[in-house]
Amino acid sequence: MIVEHDGLAARDSARFNSVENTQRFEEWFHQKSVFYSNKIKLRVSKDGQYRGLYATEDIATDEPLFTLNRSLVLSVENSDLPEEIHTEDLEHLDAWMSLILVLMHEWSKAQESAWNLYIDVLPIGSPSFQPLMFWPEDALRELQASPVLGRLGRKEAEEAFRSILLPILKKSKGILHPKPFPDTEQYVQETLLPLYHAAGSVIMAYAFDIERDSSKREQDEEGFVSDDEDALLPKGLIPMADMLNADADLNNARLFYEDNTLTMRAIKAVKAGEEIFNDYGPLPRSELLRRYGYTTPRYEKYDVAELPTDLITSLAQKSFGITANAITERLSFFDDHYCLADGYEVTRYRRDPKADIDLDVPESPFDSDLMNFVGVLLLPQEIFETCRDKRKMPKGDLFDRTPVLLLLEAACGEQRSAYPTTLDEDLGQVGSQMHLRDEIVRRLQEAKASGSETQWQHDQADFLRTERHLQGINVRIGEKTVLRDAESFAREMVSQISEQKTTKRAAEASTLLPDSKRSRH
């Protein structure tokens, strides 16, 4: 909750999804945009939980949906923030921090902001916008052993605010706060920090990397843009483009960057009544939840689990007899040739390598980095010393795949056991939780129809608790499923390798028999 202070602009953030705010924003965008198709409409769901862009008439492939000038993007370049703070302060901020400061600044200006009606539909401070950073401790426990808990970043974000943004705010006279600056910890804790966290979360969920106007991009003598130029794209909030929901399978629109404008186009035909979807890319459901505050079964195929490096090295010592000194030396060697990570991803995989469906799903749950890492840990000492002295990574044929796979099988089983509940127990909870959620949605619709604000707020709180519980279950189901399947994959591969060796030995033995004895067989 953002506590208003000494005239800092008030906004009804709880109603960012309201029909009224949505209509006002759509009218504003229609007036400000270069083009807005009469075949689309922004709509709020009946329960008020989300909004989406829908086709009101059939739309053809490549048909433009809307076009806006670059000047309508909420960004550092378009905001008046550079006029309010010292140039050197702004130049020292990265793309994330500068856009957070811009959004905090424009939010506080309320009706004086050129993006006021747009900001009214962003969930800044809304209790229903629930990326993981805002989950209470009891809700976070639903994620159990999920590695996503290590990526919340709230503590690091607060440290960055206090060391980078707060000094700028204290010496700036025209942004966020009345003059003079209320230099109290209460003001920081109750007003600035909540606004900062809310703005940062909205930017994580809504912001785009803005491809530069080609006329302004620096090129080399041969006319090519450097990789560094592409890597340092500025960020911005693009009105209407960020109103589209995302779906990995139903994606039917894409944003195209032109020199002076941005255009959202249909990339496939859309029937009247269908929703228009963007796509976030191959994100696991844990990342959807962390960044955007929701999960969907359509991103299930991108789910991942993680094997901690400490778990892998512990098993190498306990089950394969690799000494602690050898582990330390091999970690250093691997880090010199790769980037040693705290953990390694395990993914879903394509069970039938010949199948032509889901070609974006790998054929193995273990990528080459993980296989190489375990391979280096388990190398015979003599071979390791040769590679170390030559300062070269061993070639693949030097790795014995059987112990590598056996260790990975054991690691997947150990990591699965780190979750307090089993996969079957989680699967058994899903149906009852979905039924409870549907019942609460029905109550929300009734409260909204009757105009009972008190009942609506009570049911909304129940909905958020139930939704968090269900989201946590779905994330851990995805991770446990990945670990279970990867464990089976490793076991099956070990069996196949054993069978292949047996067959090869039999064939080799057969070639050593005299012709007369071979013929009898």
Side-chain angles (χ1 to χ4, degrees):
M1 178 181 177
I2 302 167
V3 177
E4 309 302 342
H5 189 287
D6 289 345
L8 187 66
R11 290 180 184 270
D12 187 6
S13 57
R15 297 312 236 173
F16 81 100
N17 252 351
S18 70
V19 173
E20 296 78 16
N21 281 3
T22 300
Q23 288 176 343
R24 284 195 292 267
F25 162 69
E26 189 171 30
E27 291 169 2
W28 170 84
F29 183 79
H30 200 167
Q31 294 171 0
K32 298 290 184 180
S33 61
V34 176
F35 168 76
Y36 190 67
S37 173
N38 58 7
K39 297 182 180 181
I40 59 177
K41 184 69 178 175
L42 196 58
R43 293 174 179 164
V44 178
S45 63
K46 291 182 179 179
D47 58 9
Q49 296 300 319
Y50 67 93
R51 70 169 68 83
L53 192 66
Y54 291 83
T56 56
E57 300 179 30
D58 290 352
I59 296 171
T61 302
D62 201 40
E63 188 170 342
L65 305 176
F66 55 82
T67 299
L68 64 150
N69 285 318
R70 285 177 175 266
S71 59
L72 198 57
V73 175
L74 179 48
S75 64
V76 176
E77 183 179 6
N78 295 329
S79 171
D80 66 358
L81 180 68
E83 302 171 10
E84 303 288 352
I85 67 175
H86 297 287
T87 303
E88 62 272 17
D89 288 332
L90 190 58
E91 290 175 346
H92 290 154
L93 298 179
D94 62 18
W96 280 100
M97 279 295 199
S98 58
L99 187 56
I100 288 174
L101 190 55
V102 164
L103 184 53
M104 292 172 69
H105 174 54
E106 296 294 340
W107 183 91
S108 70
K109 289 167 63 178
Q111 295 181 1
E112 295 180 7
S113 171
W115 292 273
N116 178 48
L117 295 177
Y118 168 49
I119 293 172
D120 272 347
V121 296
L122 296 177
I124 302 176
S126 170
S128 62
F129 178 55
Q130 288 289 304
L132 284 181
M133 181 179 282
F134 296 112
W135 279 29
E137 286 299 322
D138 62 326
L140 288 173
R141 285 194 287 271
E142 295 290 349
L143 293 161
Q144 299 183 348
S146 174
V148 75
L149 290 172
R151 300 195 295 271
L152 299 186
R154 188 177 180 92
K155 180 180 178 182
E156 294 79 2
E158 180 168 338
E159 290 173 352
F161 170 78
R162 290 184 179 277
S163 64
I164 299 172
L165 287 193
L166 188 55
I168 294 175
L169 294 175
K170 285 184 176 182
K171 66 181 180 181
S172 300
K173 296 182 178 180
I175 57 176
L176 291 185
H177 54 78
K179 295 176 275 188
F181 179 81
D183 195 5
T184 65
E185 181 60 19
Q186 181 180 1
Y187 178 60
V188 171
Q189 286 285 350
E190 294 183 352
T191 301
L192 294 184
L193 262 176
L195 179 56
Y196 163 75
H197 284 309
S201 295
V202 165
I203 287 168
M204 181 183 292
Y206 284 72
F208 288 74
D209 289 330
I210 308 296
E211 293 183 14
R212 291 183 174 87
D213 179 338
S214 61
S215 65
K216 298 180 180 179
R217 303 176 78 186
E218 295 182 7
Q219 301 177 349
D220 61 22
E221 294 178 356
E222 297 178 355
F224 293 103
V225 177
S226 70
D227 290 339
D228 289 342
E229 178 79 3
D230 275 335
L232 300 175
L233 292 176
K235 294 187 178 296
L237 292 161
I238 305 176
M240 195 57 73
D242 51 16
M243 296 295 110
L244 274 67
N245 293 309
D247 193 293
D249 297 326
L250 301 178
N251 176 216
N252 50 18
R254 184 177 302 153
L255 187 65
F256 292 86
Y257 294 82
E258 290 131 7
D259 283 352
N260 298 312
T261 58
L262 311 175
T263 297
M264 186 70 72
R265 291 182 179 275
I267 58 174
K268 59 180 70 171
V270 185
K271 296 290 186 182
E274 291 181 345
E275 186 170 357
I276 298 167
F277 288 103
N278 204 338
D279 185 23
Y280 294 140
L283 292 178
R285 286 182 290 180
S286 57
E287 274 301 290
L288 281 182
L289 188 56
R290 185 179 76 88
R291 299 185 190 188
Y292 307 111
Y294 80 100
T295 61
T296 169
R298 294 190 181 277
Y299 281 76
E300 178 181 323
K301 64 182 177 181
Y302 301 124
D303 281 342
V304 299
E306 185 174 294
L307 298 180
T309 296
D310 289 345
L311 171 62
I312 296 172
T313 55
S314 172
L315 287 170
Q317 288 184 258
K318 181 173 65 175
S319 303
F320 293 86
I322 310 299
T323 66
N325 288 338
I327 291 288
T328 300
E329 187 175 21
R330 292 169 190 226
L331 290 176
S332 176
F333 173 81
F334 189 81
D335 197 30
D336 288 341
H337 291 81
Y338 287 85
C339 182
L340 183 64
D342 293 332
Y344 291 87
E345 283 189 353
V346 180
T347 65
R348 289 186 180 270
Y349 68 98
R350 192 156 23 112
R351 292 174 180 271
D352 181 3
K354 297 179 181 179
D356 60 358
I357 60 173
D358 286 339
L359 294 179
D360 52 350
V361 178
E363 295 182 12
S364 168
F366 311 119
D367 67 13
S368 59
D369 283 355
L370 176 54
M371 294 292 288
N372 287 333
F373 174 59
V374 178
V376 167
L377 287 180
L378 301 185
L379 272 179
Q381 185 63 21
E382 182 179 347
I383 297 177
F384 171 74
E385 289 175 355
T386 300
C387 295
R388 179 199 61 197
D389 294 342
K390 291 183 177 181
R391 297 182 179 180
K392 289 184 178 181
M393 275 291 291
K395 294 182 179 179
D397 57 2
L398 292 177
F399 294 139
D400 185 345
R401 294 183 68 207
T402 295
V404 170
L405 289 164
L406 286 172
L407 188 149
L408 289 173
E409 178 189 354
C412 289
E414 290 264 354
Q415 187 60 20
R416 256 203 312 148
S417 68
Y419 293 82
T421 56
T422 67
L423 178 57
D424 287 340
E425 288 170 341
D426 289 343
L427 290 169
Q429 291 187 55
V430 171
S432 61
Q433 288 300 311
M434 290 182 68
H435 177 76
L436 176 59
R437 183 186 64 181
D438 292 344
E439 172 61 23
I440 296 173
V441 168
R442 183 190 62 77
R443 296 195 331 240
L444 276 167
Q445 293 172 349
E446 290 179 352
K448 188 175 182 181
S450 66
S452 174
E453 183 67 21
T454 302
Q455 186 61 45
W456 187 90
Q457 291 179 354
H458 179 270
D459 292 337
Q460 176 74 357
D462 283 348
F463 176 84
L464 290 176
R465 279 192 295 271
T466 304
E467 187 72 356
R468 291 190 200 109
H469 184 51
L470 189 55
Q471 289 167 342
I473 293 173
N474 284 327
V475 165
R476 64 189 197 235
I477 282 175
E479 292 169 353
K480 293 175 190 177
T481 300
V482 168
L483 290 167
R484 180 201 63 188
D485 293 349
E487 192 177 351
S488 297
F489 175 89
R491 187 162 49 246
E492 291 166 5
M493 290 301 296
V494 168
S495 177
Q496 288 181 24
I497 291 170
S498 178
E499 290 174 5
Q500 290 167 0
K501 287 180 177 179
T502 300
T503 302
K504 183 178 180 181
R505 282 195 297 268
E508 290 172 347
S510 176
T511 61
L512 299 176
L513 293 172
D515 289 344
S516 59
K517 290 187 177 181
R518 282 204 303 272
S519 63
R520 292 174 189 170
H521 294 281

